[in-house]
Amino acid sequence: MRGPLRVAVAQPLTRSHDVAGNADRHAAAVRAAGARVVVFPELSLTGYELAAAPVDPADPRLAPLRAACAATGTLALAGAPVAGPHIGVLAVDGDGVRVAYRKMWLGGAEPQRFRPGRRPAVLDVDGWRLGLAVCKDTGVPEHAAATVAAGADAYLAGVLESADDAAVPEERAVRVAAAHGVWVVTASFAGSTGGGYTRAAGGSGIWSPAGVAVSRAGADVGEVVGGTLR
């Protein structure tokens, strides 16, 4: 029997290439969230810098984030370039750091730098099956379908959209919820970053299987909002 799962979405200040400082700010968000799972945006540990060096799970700069997760019993899902190279999701908890997922659908200039991941990923957390996604993945119906087919009952994504496209994450979240009857949890980058994103959309949120927003952040850097999956 699985119980309710408290999750949060965070949109911390991310400075380009500043893995150490970004890990500190991720740790602060984890401590503030009071959640079992905290989801961060795409490439949240480096900024959207396609030339950034891959982040090794053993990188000592991640120690503050590991410590925050250990102290709070949290699983953090942070965005970073990883070996391959891939656009990845790092799963951070009291046991350490591992690459949990590699983005399958690349967009824009990403294919010039990165390789696509080969398969969906689903994590088991307290009886919940959490499927992972990164940005363009969420706009590809085949990705959500394959992730749900792999056993996901919630779909967690880290994304980056410009302020001009601020409606896109919610549109995609509602579409996935409607198609598959799953919770959708989206952490959307706020502030500015590389790749021409002088104003990112923010607007992170949590949507019920009925497609209803149960928690939403605004556009500001530093917001953390939570909700309970039941």
Side-chain angles (χ1 to χ4, degrees):
M1 292 288 292
R2 74 182 186 200
L5 185 71
R6 185 71 179 172
V7 302
V9 285
Q11 39 195 62
L13 171 65
T14 292
R15 292 196 170 102
S16 293
H17 302 287
D18 181 15
V19 174
N22 294 333
D24 282 338
R25 289 181 284 274
H26 279 51
V30 164
R31 292 181 186 276
R36 178 70 175 89
V37 179
V38 180
V39 186
F40 291 91
E42 180 177 25
L43 294 176
S44 59
L45 284 168
T46 60
Y48 191 77
E49 302 294 343
L50 301 189
V55 177
D56 191 306
D59 193 318
R61 293 174 295 180
L62 302 178
L65 180 54
R66 293 199 307 269
C69 290
T72 58
T74 299
L75 169 67
L77 299 172
V82 298
H86 299 280
I87 294 175
V89 176
L90 296 179
V92 185
D93 60 19
D95 294 326
V97 184
R98 65 192 184 280
V99 179
Y101 175 67
R102 298 162 178 85
K103 184 177 182 180
M104 296 176 65
W105 296 88
L106 304 176
E110 293 169 1
Q112 300 171 28
R113 166 68 172 164
F114 298 103
R115 300 175 182 174
R118 295 184 176 181
R119 61 187 64 85
V122 180
L123 304 181
D124 289 295
V125 179
D126 300 347
W128 286 83
R129 298 271 292 164
L130 307 179
L132 306 183
V134 178
C135 208
K136 188 176 179 180
D137 291 334
T138 65
V140 178
E142 293 92 329
H143 185 271
T147 304
V148 172
D153 45 33
Y155 188 71
L156 280 56
V159 309
L160 167 62
E161 297 289 349
S162 70
D164 292 339
D165 293 322
V168 170
E170 180 168 25
E171 290 170 355
R172 292 179 176 179
V174 171
R175 189 181 311 135
V176 171
H180 301 288
V182 296
W183 287 89
V184 180
V185 180
T186 302
S188 180
F189 209 109
S192 62
T193 190
Y197 290 92
T198 56
R199 285 196 313 126
S204 302
I206 300 166
W207 288 264
S208 76
V212 176
V214 299
S215 189
R216 293 296 304 276
D220 292 340
V221 167
E223 292 194 52
V224 181
V225 300
T228 302
L229 313 190
R230 301 181 186 278

